[in-house]
Amino acid sequence: MSLGWEDLRETIGARIRAREWPPGALIPAEAQLAADYGVARATVNRALQSLAEDGVIERRKRAGTRVAELPARRARLEIPVIRLEVEGRGAAYGFRVTHDAEEPLPAEIAQRMRLAEGAPLRHLTTLHLADGAPHAHEDRWLNMAALPQAADFAGLSVNEWLVAHVPFQGGDLAFLAAPAGAAEAAALEVAPGAALLVTERVTFGPEGGITHVLLWHRPGHRVETTL
Amino acid sequence: MSLGWEDLRETIGARIRAREWPPGALIPAEAQLAADYGVARATVNRALQSLAEDGVIERRKRAGTRVAELPARRARLEIPVIRLEVEGRGAAYGFRVTHDAEEPLPAEIAQRMRLAEGAPLRHLTTLHLADGAPHAHEDRWLNMAALPQAADFAGLSVNEWLVAHVPFQGGDLAFLAAPAGAAEAAALEVAPGAALLVTERVTFGPEGGITHVLLWHRPGHRVETTL
DNA sequence: GGGGCGATTATGTATAGACATATTAACCGC
DNA sequence: GCGGTTAATATGTCTATACATAATCGCCCC
């Protein structure tokens, strides 16, 4: 039995982490590694391609493959889905829509959604619950014009309805810290001004901006990943 | 000229985003797609493998490939490197070590580094500067026992010295929000209690925990990625 | 009709060969 | 030397083929 490309990726990755080849150094060519390990060049290529994707190595034709100056540059981030997050902790998920009206779009959000300021969008705020206790406060602007006609998200949270029904082409995701305003403090039952982690997400479809979401998490919330 | 696997990935990704196949639906088998697009099955496989890596589709042998219930679940996060971040904004990077002493490891951090509480580690705080102005405040615990003998990080920031010289095997990364304490407020020249985004990073080597870092960013700092 | 087992099928992966492409290194003429 | 052209080389990728593996489907037996 021979090595698979994932094994090879691990092996070579380990040699890099062990500083056998220091950052910036050239590593042997594909053909050489293929001979060393007794596999086909395509297998080595697949392994190296995978390492390159994670930013561990940098490859250029003719110039060869070298260890990145700053290896471990990219991490995969699992995008949080609130319901799964809550259920993953063994709690029952629930939510309550606390506000729902058509309002003119504020300038800052209009810019992020690449829409005109003051356009009338649907403004929803939702409180997400874990076992009945506040878990996160959502502030969403929704561009109804970008939605299919039958927009009926009964039962599901708006987010999951969107994911399931509306085509999207891309979006932006950001993490920031902000002090709890009056609304957030009341919803999450924390002191005004408390430092909260906020997730901001914008999604775009073929027609332009679909939705803008600010998610205010409870104090102590962490977004985690591994290197 | 035929399609490359990256083109194919885009094409199929677009058909998925356009809801041609809704979440949960089966998509045609590799052999079918290969015939449709006039390419080899290996090419289709490479494209689908890439989509699966990003969580857009889920694949099981014999059962086929289906669109994920919640597509766009994983994003690639470029791990921030302060110097590059500052220089990327066209500012001059600098730093100043504001504290450097051997101290007993606090319980909370010991737990995250998987070391014994109270172990004597080197405790450094560093102020990172952009054009001379405070940009971020770093609070680092360093396990000198896990370092090569000649630990002389003159000139470089400790972080870059570590990346370049110390083998590591993995680590954890987290984002959280916290109010500025007295030290952070003074260093960053903000009001105590201000909501700051904090990056926490722990790295492990063959000998165990190497370093634990808390990076306190200035107000308004955002960690961004795209979907 | 229920249970178990084997055939079928879709993906997973390896291989050898071929050609494309980018880039460096070498060469040559002036 | 200097500049520009050419050859050599490492990666990028596709193809066709082969076999491995997992899971499902359907048949057969009881």
Side-chain angles (χ1 to χ4, degrees), chain A residues 1 5 40 90 104 140 155 161 163 167 181 197:
Chain A
M1 91 110 211
W5 69 266
R140 177 187 298 271
W161 186 89
V163 183
L197 184 66

Side-chain angles (χ1 to χ4, degrees), chain A residues 2-6 38-43 60-62:
Chain A
S2 68
L3 301 177
W5 69 266
E6 300 209 74
V39 298
R41 188 169 76 88
T43 307
R60 274 170 50 229
K61 294 181 185 180
R62 167 62 181 157

Side-chain angles (χ1 to χ4, degrees), chain A residues 17 19 46 49 53 73 75-77 79 112 163 166-168 171 173-175 177 200 222-223 225 227, chain B residues 17 19 46 49 53 73 75-77 79 112 163-164 166-168 171 173-175 200 222-223 225 227:
Chain A
R17 287 194 298 274
R19 292 289 183 286
R46 187 64 183 84
Q49 219 170 81
E53 225 179 57
R73 289 271 296 288
R76 254 185 251 308
L77 185 70
I79 296 179
R112 292 210 190 280
V163 183
V166 183
F168 78 103
L173 181 66
F175 300 103
E200 178 181 43
R222 300 159 58 89
V223 173
T225 185
L227 303 178
Chain B
R17 287 194 298 274
R19 292 289 183 289
R46 186 67 184 82
Q49 222 169 76
E53 228 179 54
R73 287 276 295 291
R76 252 187 254 308
L77 186 69
I79 296 178
R112 294 214 188 276
V163 183
V166 183
F168 77 104
L173 182 65
F175 299 101
E200 178 181 43
R222 302 160 57 90
V223 173
T225 185
L227 301 178

